[in-house]
Each structure stands twice: as structure tokens, then as C-alpha cells.
Amino acid sequence: MRRTRARAVWALHLAILLLLLGLQFVVPPFHQIMLARIMALAVYAIGYNVLLGYAGLMSLGHAMFFASGMYATGLTILHFGFGAGAAFGLGVLAGAIMATAIGLVTLRASGVSFLIVTMMFSQAFYLATLYFNEITMGDQGFIISGRLQPLVAGGREFPFSDPAVKYNLALVVFALSLMLSVWLTRSPIGRVLVAVRENEERTRLLGYNTSSYKLLALIVSGSLAGASGSIYTLMFSYVGSSFASILFSIYPLLWALLGGTGTTLGPLLGTALMTYVVDIASGLTSSYLLVVGATLVILIMWFPAGVMGGIRARWVRWLP
Amino acid sequence: MSFEGHLFLALLEGTVTGFVLALTALGLSLVFGVMRIVNVAHGEFFMLGAVIAWYFSTMPGGFLPALVAAPLLVGGVAFLADRLVLRRIEYKPESTIVATIGLLYIIQQLVLTVYGPYARPVAAPVYFRIDFPWFGYSGYKLVVAGVSAALLVATWLVLSRTTLGLYMRATQQDREMAQAFGVSVHRVYALVFSLGAALAAIAGALVVPVQQAHYLMGLDALLMSFIVVIIGGLGSLGGTLAAAFLIGMSDGLVSVFFSPTLAKIVATLLVALVLVLRTGGLFGEEGT
Amino acid sequence: MEHVSEGTRVASEKISRRAAIKAAGALVGAGIVGGVGGFSPAASVSRAAAQPARTPIKIGFQVHRTGIGAVYGRWYERTATAAATLINEMGGIAGRPIQLVPEDDGTDPKRGAEVVEKLAVHHKVDFIYGTLFSHVVIASAPRAGELKIPYFVVSEGYHVASGKLNRYVFQPGITDVRAQITGISSWVVKTLGKKITMIFPDYAFGYDHRDFLGRAVPALGGTIQARLAIPPTETSFSKYFARVPADTEVLYHVMVGPGVLTFVKEMGEHFGARRPQIFGFIDSLEGVDLASPGLEYLEGTHFWEAFPRYAGGYPTPHERFYRDRVGVNDAGASLRDPKDVSTYSHMFGCWETLFVIKQAVEQSGYRDPTPKDYRALIETLEEVQWFNEGIQHPQGPKKFVGQIHQSFGQQFISKVENRRLKVVHRTKIEDSLYPPEADYRKQPL
């Protein structure tokens, strides 16, 4: 039973990835870009979900991890002429280091305290990007498209300005993140994390070092956020303080909650849903925030556990 | 200006900021404490109070009726939100966050469409300038501090002396027990949510002559309220007051010594450190 | 779905408002009603007035309808609509009607880049224009460059002229901050005083002032005594005024954002009657009524203006015509609502830029959004040296420097007298020129 369920889970995710791979040939160019962007940002949401949905920690400071990846990638390309691959690696690393540092200091707090502590550190980070503006160019930001060299593989060049390159790069990073999250939830580590989320005291009494597990979750979460920031920079070229602001910390929270925390596909769904609702609404009316807000309220009333969570509870029980 | 002048100014500003912040944050603290939910739209209630005050200031009655009208109107909006939405999602913490974010967008867009994108000033009901040896200072700001203090005392009296206050404290301490004793938890929740919004609105109305009414002003109020509430401890009035003063003062004092942006960074980090060291906040329950 | 934003924007605004008020009950319904209501009957009337049977020239309009730039966005949209209507009455561009396609970017850099994509790829517009805030411009411009679509900025920032963007980006309808400061600094030093203290926001816009004034003033024999940078999240300013040196002769301030009113109030409370000369940029008060309570302290102070808000400041028949067409009264506020004050020193850029696009299309023979036609348009525009004053350029004549894709024009200095602005000085274009630091023409397309 568990074997068939495992196979069903992997098959479903593989199918989704294949669908995404195929969509780029079918949809109009505008939606191609939209989907590429959604996938890049969904990595951010997946990272957020690892911490919230599986370890039960709600952070309001994830923008600092995203922005760390962004700045690490952007600055090394702009000032040192790094190649895309190395810059991306550095971006992920920056997210991981930031998460480790923050985790060592803040994981003593939990619940709402953790919420505010992460928010405060993120706010300090945001202010720092403004303060050190000779390097970061502050809120005005900088662009890297002039310095960014194309990818070279198999003797051919793949410039980042090519929409197909953007799409498939985002797809690859998204696929890896998605698979990581699926693996994590089904692994022993993932089960301990869920146990920590449900009842930390009991898990500790059972002999697990819950602090280490929480730190691990935070590091994975931060690395994914950093990866998202990094790939976003490579795709869209602009780095600026606005990505380190509190609003940008609210987005992954919103996307994960809307899609369904504690599900692997929820983050993708939430990101896609919000992106399209905003886009469609702003095409319909100039008062589009009204539509977006109303949609959020209505959706959460129908699906209190997120859309994916609701689907899982009502129809498809075996969704991870 | 001499050092004592700077210091005195910082203390004065810190006091005013502290009182206003305490009033703004109190509503959030009560909602947090009693209902255990995060109301992301709290700042928007503050903004609505300010905008309503502006509307009144353009009408024959003037600004003062707004101090009564704003909390009533905004409290009403909050009551509706509680009835129509929050109750239906059963006050689940995560769903409430999404719902209140939706509420935030709705309120912001409505205000943008009806009131507009402008930042409009509101004339203070009383205007006089106090001349200290080193600088001039707005008399109205001191009035605001005084009125805020009075309102805080009034709220404390309601909490500690009235039946409603008793119900609120009971529900906060132990919801099931309170229910067992016949307290209608849903009614308490509706009242607390409305009261929280009303407090934010009156803070917004009081402060708007010092600042100006703008449809995006809620975000800052929300941020500051969050911080005050967590440092002070959930649902603790004394804690909220202490935290508000700590933040109000520290911001002013630190910037006497450092450059302002650096000061903000330092102040923010200090706040975070306090939290890490005392995970319950200064006065709240441990481990919350 | 495209918004047809020509014709009476009044109708669509009013419909939106009404719908939103009804929305207290039916939220979602109101949003959709508002959208459907946006297709006002007046729009089809304007269309009928244009030349029949020619495909329209679609101009994507990236506008700050929401977010911190919403005040500007509102007036930018009114001005652009008025200009587009006028152009269609004049027969369109090369005989083809002009159609504005607005999209809100929320004054957000991330969304700005998305809007550029939507306009270019989904709406398939010929050109994109309209952005104001620097950080949005900088995030959006690379996308326009990648998509190879001309991007006309109405921003006032120095970023276009700095050469840091790409060859598809132009700023022909409005002058940039560096030119403005260069133009007015000698008047400030000679007329107001040599010892200057600067107060500015601690981010990009403020730094431009800090850097460019910092260069200009010493060369004129003055000194900058103090530079007070105010963090963006600041809501109270008294402590900054406390740092102004006692012997400062000129207080130079460029605060922007909703906090400006508090800023002025607290400035008055701090200094009282013993105050230095005060010089500011009208950016601080765009969209704000000078007669507002709390702004009494500005009496007798000076402001830079790009285009005098009060009629009579630059009394030409073109200015009059422009003012009437856009719907602004003699005090710079909306004809329909005197409380609705305009952003007069910025929005003219939208009007003039549309006419520049018209000129560029007609001179280059541009037909379709192909690389060949774009190249012709860009190269033609780069050769232009001068935009003459007239109803197409009511703010004044402009010298266009093709290599940096930037226009230079006259600047105004006004004094606040009896709660109104009165022009006391007008610069010559030569006063504001600076040596170009880049050459876009060397970049490949």
C-alpha cells in the first residue's frame, strides 16, 4: 500500500513537471513568461512551506533570504564578472548562510515571537541594503544584463534574454526544489519535522534534538529562497531593495497559505493563483486590489486549509 | 543646538511617540491576547480613523466629532468583518492571516478609489507653540499624548473593573473554562475585535493632525504595533505601554548618537535581541 | 482585455467611484461592474472622429495607478489621455489613430517589469511610455531592451542620461534632476546665500541632489555646511532640524512622500521666526494645495518648478491651451474639483512625449513593430536637436542631446506669496547643460 502510494506521488509530480515542460510550446509567449516567473517564485514559496508547513514555524522575514540570493548573484556578476552557474551557487549559499546565522540566534523563540524576530532581522537587513548603498545601489537598484554572459553548453550559447532559456532554467530549478520537498516530506527527517510541528515537547522527550531539526528546516528553507532570488536575478536582471522589504516577506506566506501549507503542490498553486488573479483583475478594472482582496477572502472561506489542502481533504486523500 | 537640547527633544518626542504607539498597539494586543489571531488589517483600521477624521475636518462640525465617529464607524466595519468572515473560518490562525490580508487589500483599494491617492493634512483642533530654551515644539503633540494616556487609563478601567473586561480576561486565560462558566465566547470575540479596531481608529484620528491622511499610512502603524505587542507580551496592557515607551524612546535617543538610518538598524536589532533573550516578551507569558 | 482610455476619462473615473461605493455590499460584483463601466460611450465617439480604415498606433502606458506614486499616476493618465485625444483630433500619427493601452505597475519595480512584458508581448503595442519613479524605471528598462521595444520614460531621473540603461530608452519630454540642479544652483548661491544645509531623503532621489548640488555649489564659491539624510521610514523630523548649523543661510530641502506636510509643520515649529532662507523642490508638494493648513510656514520661501503651477507664471497661448485641454484651473487644480491639485511640474512630460513619438514616427516613416522600423525611428530621433515651443511643447523649447537620449529645457524658480507661487526667475537652457557622460549611439540595437 505504501509502495503504490509512493509511486502515485512520484508519478503525479513527474506528470506535473512534464506538463510544465510541454506548456511552453503550446501557450502564447506572454503566458510563457508568466509561467517562467511563477516557477521561479514558486521555489520561494516551496522554501517557505518547508519551514511553515512541515516544521510549523511561521516567519515574516524570508525576504532577507531571497534578497541575499539576489544580491550575492547580482553583485558578483556586476563587479567580478562571475558566470551564471557560479553566481547561482553563491546565491544558494548566501541563503543558506543567512538562514544558519539567523537560525542560531532566533530559534530559541517560537510561535509569534519567531514571527516578529524574523521580521525584525529582515527589516534590519532591508535598512542595511539602503545604508550600504554605495555597494547595493539602495532602493534604486542595479541591472546585470550588460555583464551577464550567456550559458555555454554543448558548444552552443544560450543567452539569458532568450525566453526559452528563462523558462527552462526556471523549470529546472523548480523541478529540483519540488522533488526536494517531496523527498523531504517522505523521508525520516520530514516525519520528525512534522512531529516537531505537532508537538515539540513530546518529540524532544522521545530523544530527538528538536533544535537541530528546526535549524535544518530553516537552512533548507533559506537556501531555496536564496535559489529563487538568484534565478530571478538571472532571468529579470534587476536587483533592488524593494525585494528585501516586508511586503516581499508577506508574499511567500500568502502563496503558501493560499495554496495549502503542508502540501507539496500547494506553493506552486498559490503562487500561480495569486499571480493570475492580480493580472486578470488589473485587466478588468482599475480597482483591481478590490477583486484580489475579495478573491482571497472568498477562497480562504471555502478552503481554510488552502486550496490544495482542501482538495486533499475532500477528494484526493493521498496527496502529499 | 547643545547636547542637553538634543536630549530633551529626544525625550519629549519619545514620550509623545510612546503614548500614541501604545494606543495604536493596544487594539492589536487585545485581539492577539484574547482571540489568538493575527489581524494583518489592523493598520488599515488606523488609516480609516485618520481618513474619517479628514472628512469630518472638511465638514461644518469640524474635527472633534471625528473622535467619536471614527471609532464607532471603524468598529462597525470590524464587527461586520468578524461576523461575515472570521467567524466562518473559526478563527483559525493561518486562515485568519489570509483573510485579513484580503481585508487589507479591500480597504486600501476602497480608500484609494473614494478618498484618493493624496496625502491631505488635517488642521489640529488646538494649535499653540511652546517655546523651550533650545527649540519650539507643537502644543498639540502634548495634547495628543495626554488624550492617549487618558484613553489608556479608560481601557484599563474597562478591562479590570467591568464585566466585559472580566469576560475578556477570562477568555484570554482559558477559553474552555470561560465557556463552561457561560461566557459567550463568540460575543466576546466580536466585541474584542471591534474594540481593537476602534482603538486603532481613534489613535489614527488623534495623530492625523500631526501627520497627514494617506491611504498607505496603515503599513507603518501595523509594523510598529506588531513590534510593541510582541515585546510587551500578548494581551498585557502594562506590557504594551512599557514596550511602546521603550521603542519610542530608543529610536529618539539612539539617533542622538548615531546617523538616523544606522540608528534605525541598531534600534531594530536591539528589539530583536530583547525578544530572543526573553521569549515571552517583557511581561507576557513564557513560551508564547 | 485592453482599456480604451481615449475620450472622457471623466466618465470612467466617475463610474469607478460609484461602483466602489456600492461595493460595501457586493465586493466582487463591484469590481467587475467597475471594469465593464470603464468602456464609456465617449470612447467610441472619439474613435469615430479619427481616420477610418487605418490600424491604430498602440502606445502602452505604464502608469502608477496604485502605490506610492498614485498621485502622479492619476494626473499622468489624465494628461496622456488629453494629449491622445488632441492628436486624434489633429488626424492621428501619420494618419493613424493613436490608442493608449494603460497598465498599472503599482509603483513597484517587480510589477513594472511584468507590465513591460504584458504590454509588449500580450497587447503587442508599438511603444511603451509613462514611467516616473526611478526604481521602477531601472527595473523595467532592461526588459524593454531585451524585448527590443522603444521605451519612453517620463521620470526626471538622471538614469537615462547616465548611459546605464539601453539604447531603446528615451527621455525626451522632461528634464532630468542633474540638469535642474545645474540650472538653478547659481541663482540660489547668488540670491539666497552661500552657506547651505541640505535635507534630503536617504535614498536615490536624495543622493542625486546631494551629489549634483555638492558639485555645483563649491564651484560657485559657496559651501555645503551639512548634509542631513533622512531615512525613508521616518515620520518625525524635529530632530533633524536640530542639527542645522546656526549660521546656515539657506536650507535646501527635497523631501518627498506623504510625510512632507509633517516636515513643513515641524520645520515651522522648530525655527519659528528666526529662520534661514528656505529653498525646496516642488516635488515635495505636487498634488498638495499650498493653502493647506500647516503649510503657512512656507510663506516667503522659494521652490523650483519645472512648469509654473499658477497661471501667469509662464503666460503663453500654448500654456493656456494646454492648461484648458488637460482640465486644470488657474490655481493648478482640477477644473471639476478645486481640491484635486495637479502635479503640474511633471505631467507635462506625458503630453510632450506623446508629441515626440508622433514626430519620430512621422519623420522616420515608422510603420510596424519590426526591427527595421524601430531602428529607423531610433536613429531618426537620435538626430533630432531641438523641439520647438508650441502646443506640442508648452513647457518651453527643448534641446535634445541624441547621444544621451535626454532633453534639456528651461527651469523656473518661484516664491510663495499670499499662499500662491509667483515666478521670480527663469533659467536659460544653457544654464542647465552638463557634459554628456555616455553615448547610446555606440550600442548595437
Side-chain angles (χ1 to χ4, degrees), chain C residues 187 191-192 278-280 282 290 298-315 323 330-331 345 411-426:
Chain C
W187 184 93
T191 319
L192 295 182
I278 298 179
F279 185 88
I282 199 64
L290 268 175
L298 291 175
E299 191 68 20
T301 67
H302 292 86
F303 280 95
W304 164 88
E305 289 193 279
F307 202 13
R309 182 191 286 190
Y310 288 82
Y314 190 54
R323 192 178 280 260
D330 285 358
S345 277
Q411 316 292 335
F412 296 84
I413 296 180
S414 305
K415 185 173 181 181
V416 180
E417 268 178 22
N418 300 320
R419 317 299 308 272
R420 302 166 62 93
L421 284 163
K422 181 160 162 277
V423 174
V424 296
H425 178 75
R426 178 159 65 101

Side-chain angles (χ1 to χ4, degrees), chain B residues 13 118 129 209 212 215 261, chain C residues 67 202 236 243 258 265 269 340:
Chain B
E13 289 278 276
Y118 302 97
R129 190 162 162 260
Q212 47 282 317
Y215 90 105
T261 310
Chain C
D202 201 358
S236 164
R243 289 184 205 199
K265 234 178 279 185
E269 280 152 14
D340 193 0

Side-chain angles (χ1 to χ4, degrees), chain B residues 38-124:
Chain B
V38 179
N39 175 19
V40 181
H42 181 77
E44 305 313 304
F45 294 140
F46 175 87
M47 180 268 287
L48 276 175
V51 170
I52 290 174
W54 178 82
Y55 272 110
F56 272 82
S57 74
T58 61
M59 297 196 310
F63 168 84
L64 282 174
L67 290 176
V68 174
L72 281 175
L73 286 168
V74 178
V77 170
F79 187 78
L80 272 173
D82 174 74
R83 273 298 147 107
L84 293 175
V85 179
L86 295 185
R87 202 198 265 206
R88 266 213 60 177
I89 56 176
E90 290 163 21
Y91 306 101
K92 286 209 254 290
E94 293 177 357
S95 322
T96 315
I97 292 181
V98 177
T100 49
I101 291 180
L103 194 61
L104 183 157
Y105 284 151
I106 293 172
I107 296 179
Q108 263 190 15
Q109 183 68 74
L110 281 176
V111 173
L112 176 60
T113 310
V114 177
Y115 168 77
Y118 302 97
R120 294 199 173 99
V122 175

Side-chain angles (χ1 to χ4, degrees), chain A residues 212-230:
Chain A
S212 322
Y213 278 93
K214 288 199 287 189
L215 184 62
L216 181 65
L218 186 56
I219 294 177
V220 171
S221 179
S223 311
L224 285 171
S228 178
S230 181

Side-chain angles (χ1 to χ4, degrees), chain B residues 53-284:
Chain B
W54 178 82
Y55 272 110
F56 272 82
S57 74
T58 61
M59 297 196 310
F63 168 84
L64 282 174
L67 290 176
V68 174
L72 281 175
L73 286 168
V74 178
V77 170
F79 187 78
L80 272 173
D82 174 74
R83 273 298 147 107
L84 293 175
V85 179
L86 295 185
R87 202 198 265 206
R88 266 213 60 177
I89 56 176
E90 290 163 21
Y91 306 101
K92 286 209 254 290
E94 293 177 357
S95 322
T96 315
I97 292 181
V98 177
T100 49
I101 291 180
L103 194 61
L104 183 157
Y105 284 151
I106 293 172
I107 296 179
Q108 263 190 15
Q109 183 68 74
L110 281 176
V111 173
L112 176 60
T113 310
V114 177
Y115 168 77
Y118 302 97
R120 294 199 173 99
V122 175
V126 292
Y127 184 76
F128 54 99
R129 190 162 162 260
I130 301 186
D131 263 307
F132 292 107
W134 311 274
F135 54 83
Y137 200 70
S138 158
Y140 179 68
K141 277 195 197 173
L142 297 173
V143 170
V144 168
V147 173
S148 305
L151 284 167
L152 287 164
V153 169
T155 314
W156 175 76
L157 283 172
V158 165
L159 278 178
S160 56
R161 297 284 152 88
T162 68
T163 329
L164 170 65
L166 182 65
Y167 287 168
M168 280 167 59
R169 280 180 290 132
T171 316
Q172 176 177 335
Q173 286 200 342
D174 193 329
R175 182 172 147 176
E176 273 92 28
M177 269 305 233
Q179 253 173 331
F181 274 89
V183 174
S184 162
V185 168
H186 276 159
R187 265 213 216 134
V188 171
Y189 279 7
L191 268 159
V192 167
F193 198 66
S194 311
L195 182 64
L199 283 169
I202 201 171
L206 272 175
V207 157
V208 73
V210 174
Q211 298 176 14
Q212 47 282 317
H214 183 245
Y215 90 105
L216 289 174
M217 68 192 288
L219 196 63
D220 199 55
L222 177 70
L223 223 68
M224 298 308 293
S225 302
F226 250 38
I227 297 166
V228 166
V229 166
I230 292 304
I231 293 192
L234 305 178
S236 157
L237 197 152
T240 305
L241 196 62
F245 265 86
L246 179 68
I247 291 171
M249 288 294 183
S250 68
D251 191 47
L253 287 172
V254 175
S255 59
V256 171
F257 299 103
F258 295 101
S259 97
T261 310
L262 193 56
K264 286 234 178 251
I265 299 180
V266 171
T268 311
L269 286 173
L270 274 175
V271 164
L273 246 39
V274 167
L275 270 175
V276 168
L277 295 173
R278 278 277 299 176
T279 48
L282 293 174
F283 291 85

Side-chain angles (χ1 to χ4, degrees), chain C residues 107 111 131 134 159 327 334 350 373 433 441:
Chain C
T107 325
R111 188 116 183 87
T131 329
S134 296
H159 27 71
S334 163
C350 283
D373 283 14
L433 289 172
R441 298 172 307 191

Side-chain angles (χ1 to χ4, degrees), chain A residues 155-231:
Chain A
R156 285 183 55 197
E157 274 200 352
F158 298 95
F160 283 90
S161 53
D162 183 349
V165 173
K166 289 194 224 257
Y167 190 95
N168 290 297
L169 213 52
L171 180 59
V172 166
V173 178
F174 172 73
L176 289 171
S177 313
L178 186 66
M179 287 313 174
L180 176 66
S181 71
V182 174
W183 173 81
L184 194 66
T185 63
R186 307 186 61 76
S187 73
I189 301 176
R191 283 198 282 273
V192 176
L193 283 176
V194 174
V196 168
R197 180 189 77 202
E198 297 299 321
N199 192 333
E200 184 172 350
E201 273 301 307
R202 197 160 134 237
T203 317
R204 203 180 316 150
L205 286 171
L206 285 171
Y208 290 99
N209 185 347
T210 54
S211 305
S212 322
Y213 278 93
K214 288 199 287 189
L215 184 62
L216 181 65
L218 186 56
I219 294 177
V220 171
S221 179
S223 311
L224 285 171
S228 178
S230 181
I231 199 80

